[in-house]
Amino acid sequence: MNTKKKSGEKTDKAVWLFLLPAGIIYLSVIVVPVFYSFFISLFKWNGIGEKVFVGLENYMKLIKGDKVFYTAVRNNLIWIVLTIFVTMTVSLGFALILNKSFKGRTFFRGFFYFPCVIAPIAVAIIWRWIYNPTFGFINDFFEAIGSEFSQTWISDAKVSLYAVFAASLWQAIGQPMLLFLAGLQGISADILEAATIDGANGAKKFFFVTVPLLKETFVIVIATLIIAAMKVFDVVQGLTGGGPGDATQMLSTYMYSQVFQYNNVGYGTAIACVMVLMMMLVIIPYISITAKED
C-alpha cells in the first residue's frame, strides 16, 4: 500500500512539473497583463511621464459623458448581431452545400476558405479599392449594366458600418464554415437515412436532426464569432479608421486612438478592460448554459 501511495505521489508531482511551463507562459502572457492593464486604467498617464492616480475616474468618464464610447458599444452590438445571423447563416449554408458529393468539391472548399488566411489589413486594402466611388468595382459594375446607382460606400455614415461588415464577411466565413463541415461529417449517414424512412423531408431533417446534432459545433462557432465581433479592429481601422464621424467606431478602434493617437494610455486601457468585461459577461454564461450535458 505504501509503495502504491508513493507511486501515486510521484505521478502527481510529474503531472505538475509537465504543467508548470504552460502555467508560467499562461500567467506571464495572459493573467499578469490583464491585471496590469486594470492597474494602469486607474491612472491618468500619457505613456511616458509620471502616472497620476485617479481611481475609477476613467471608468466614470466613460459611463457618464463619453458619447463616442456609447457609439462604439452600439456598433459592436450591431456587429455581433450581424455576425451571428449573417456570418453564421452564410457559413452554415456553404458547409451544407460543400458537404454534398459533387465534382470539384475539394477545390471549392479551398476557394471559399482562402480569404480566411489573408491578413485582415490586406482585406481592408482590397475592399478600399472595391469601394472606391470613382473607379471601384461595385460602382463600375452598376455603370456597366446601365444603372445610375452610385454610392460612396465607406464615406456615407448611413451605410459605412454595413459596408465594412460586408468586407469582413468575405473573410470571416471560412473558419466557421470549416467547423460546420467537420460537424456535418461527424453525423452518421444512418441517422439521416432513418429520418428519411420515417418520412422527414429535407427541411425537417435539417431542423430536427442535423441542427440538434450540431449543438456542440454551434457552441464553438457562436462563441468564437462573438469574441471576434467584440475585438474586431484591422478591417475597420484599415477601411475607415472609425469614421466618417465615428460612424464605424468600435471599442477596439476607440481604444487604439486614445492610446496611440491621443496618448491617453489610462483612458484607453479602461476601454480595453470594459471590452474584456463585456466579453466575459456574454461568453461565460453562454458557454455555461449551452455546453451543459443533457
Side-chain angles (χ1 to χ4, degrees), residues 237-254:
Q237 186 68 22
L239 273 172
T240 63
D246 296 317
T248 60
Q249 197 74 261
M250 300 289 175
L251 288 171
S252 57
T253 57
Y254 190 40

Side-chain angles (χ1 to χ4, degrees), residues 2-292:
N2 290 333
T3 305
K4 288 183 178 179
K5 188 175 180 180
K6 289 180 180 179
S7 176
E9 288 177 356
K10 288 181 180 179
T11 304
D12 290 341
K13 289 179 181 178
V15 169
W16 285 109
L17 285 172
F18 279 115
L19 288 173
L20 185 61
I24 293 171
I25 294 171
Y26 182 78
L27 286 171
S28 59
V29 175
I30 297 177
V31 177
V32 172
V34 167
F35 283 100
Y36 184 63
S37 296
F38 177 71
F39 173 75
I40 292 176
S41 71
L42 302 177
F43 291 84
K44 185 177 181 180
W45 186 39
N46 63 5
I48 300 173
E50 186 178 349
K51 299 184 184 74
V52 178
F53 181 77
V54 293
L56 298 177
E57 183 180 319
N58 288 326
Y59 294 95
M60 297 305 294
K61 185 179 176 182
L62 277 176
I63 296 170
K64 286 186 175 181
D66 196 334
K67 293 181 180 179
V68 180
F69 171 73
Y70 284 105
T71 299
V73 171
R74 183 198 65 192
N75 288 341
N76 269 111
L77 293 176
I78 292 172
W79 196 282
I80 289 172
V81 172
L82 290 173
T83 297
I84 292 174
F85 287 99
V86 179
T87 305
M88 190 176 69
T89 302
V90 173
S91 301
L92 180 57
F94 276 120
L96 289 168
I97 294 170
L98 296 175
N99 192 47
K100 298 182 183 296
S101 181
F102 60 89
K103 190 175 181 180
R105 179 178 66 172
T106 304
F107 167 78
F108 284 106
R109 285 179 178 178
F111 179 79
F112 288 115
Y113 180 74
F114 173 72
C116 187
V117 302
I118 301 176
I121 193 65
V123 173
I125 294 170
I126 292 168
W127 280 85
R128 180 179 282 275
W129 284 97
I130 292 173
Y131 283 141
N132 190 287
T134 306
F135 48 81
F137 171 77
I138 297 177
N139 284 351
D140 281 356
F141 170 76
F142 282 111
E143 184 179 348
I145 62 175
S147 173
E148 296 183 359
F149 178 80
S150 181
Q151 176 69 49
T152 53
W153 298 97
I154 57 176
S155 300
D156 187 341
K158 294 181 180 179
V159 300
S160 55
L161 180 63
Y162 306 102
V164 175
F165 176 79
S168 177
L169 175 66
W170 178 69
Q171 184 191 36
I173 61 172
Q175 184 180 8
M177 181 194 75
L178 212 62
L179 292 171
F180 280 128
L181 263 174
L184 288 168
Q185 290 176 359
I187 298 175
S188 173
D190 295 336
I191 297 174
L192 298 174
E193 187 178 347
T196 304
I197 294 171
D198 289 340
N201 58 24
K204 287 184 177 179
K205 280 195 294 184
F206 174 73
F207 286 107
F208 296 107
V209 179
T210 303
V211 170
L213 291 174
L214 287 175
K215 177 186 173 183
E216 293 181 359
T217 305
F218 273 106
V219 171
I220 296 170
V221 168
I222 293 176
T224 54
L225 287 178
I226 291 174
I227 292 171
M230 279 298 303
K231 63 179 186 177
V232 61
F233 172 76
D234 306 71
V235 174
V236 180
Q237 186 68 22
L239 273 172
T240 63
D246 296 317
T248 60
Q249 197 74 261
M250 300 289 175
L251 288 171
S252 57
T253 57
Y254 190 40
M255 173 196 68
Y256 175 85
S257 65
Q258 288 296 319
V259 174
F260 295 103
Q261 292 179 0
Y262 304 114
N263 295 324
N264 295 328
V265 177
Y267 195 67
T269 308
I271 298 171
C273 291
V274 171
M275 284 177 60
V276 172
L277 180 62
M278 288 176 64
M279 280 190 275
M280 290 175 64
L281 290 175
V282 174
I283 294 299
I284 293 176
Y286 169 73
I287 296 293
S288 300
I289 293 170
T290 56
K292 285 180 179 178

